[in-house]
Amino acid sequence: MRAGYILFGWAMLVLGVVGIFVPLLPTTPFLLLAAWAFCRSSPRLYDRLLAHPCLGAYVRNFREYRAIPLRAKIISVTLIWATLLYCIFGVVRAWWWAQAGLLLLAVGLTWHILSYATLRRPE
């Protein structure tokens, strides 16, 4: 079971890192899942994740404050809208139902991100 948690944790960690660069792939939920898996399987990996200079801040900020830094909110919402508007007007022009679905996805993701408190202190 321990090996399964470790493998799951590494998979979630990889997805979280990819999510930093891919607009529609979330970072924090995957890093939280990695922290959960590492906490149950390897205290050493859990401590290393929390101590990481970039990735540890995502987990610590969310676990301690249930908040997202303002900069992360702005970047996330901007990239979501830029990506989905490109898809709506450039990729799926022929399918109105796909355009409507993408628009609803953008609104839902924006609402979800903005529903969390804004972390006012520096990361």
Side-chain angles (χ1 to χ4, degrees):
M1 195 67 172
R2 182 176 185 261
Y5 278 127
I6 290 174
L7 184 62
F8 179 75
W10 278 109
M12 295 302 101
L13 182 63
V14 167
L15 285 174
V17 170
V18 170
I20 293 171
F21 305 102
V22 177
L24 295 178
L25 192 63
T27 299
T28 303
F30 288 122
L31 294 179
L32 291 173
L33 284 171
W36 172 81
F38 290 154
C39 183
R40 280 160 179 66
S41 61
S42 172
R44 182 180 59 86
L45 290 174
Y46 178 73
D47 291 339
R48 285 184 63 190
L49 176 60
L50 289 181
H52 191 275
C54 295
L55 303 178
Y58 284 100
V59 178
R60 284 190 311 273
N61 287 338
F62 196 81
R63 290 188 71 205
E64 292 175 20
Y65 306 107
R66 294 209 40 94
I68 300 172
L70 180 61
R71 181 175 182 266
K73 281 185 172 185
I74 291 170
I75 290 171
S76 298
V77 170
T78 301
L79 287 175
I80 286 169
W81 279 97
T83 302
L84 289 178
L85 286 174
Y86 169 75
C87 290
I88 288 170
F89 295 113
V91 177
V92 293
R93 288 183 297 207
W95 303 311
W96 68 267
W97 51 269
Q99 290 176 322
L102 289 173
L103 184 63
L104 288 174
L105 179 64
V107 170
L109 289 170
T110 300
W111 176 81
H112 179 70
I113 290 168
L114 297 179
S115 69
Y116 285 103
T118 301
L119 187 63
R120 295 281 180 205
R121 65 175 198 82
E123 299 173 18

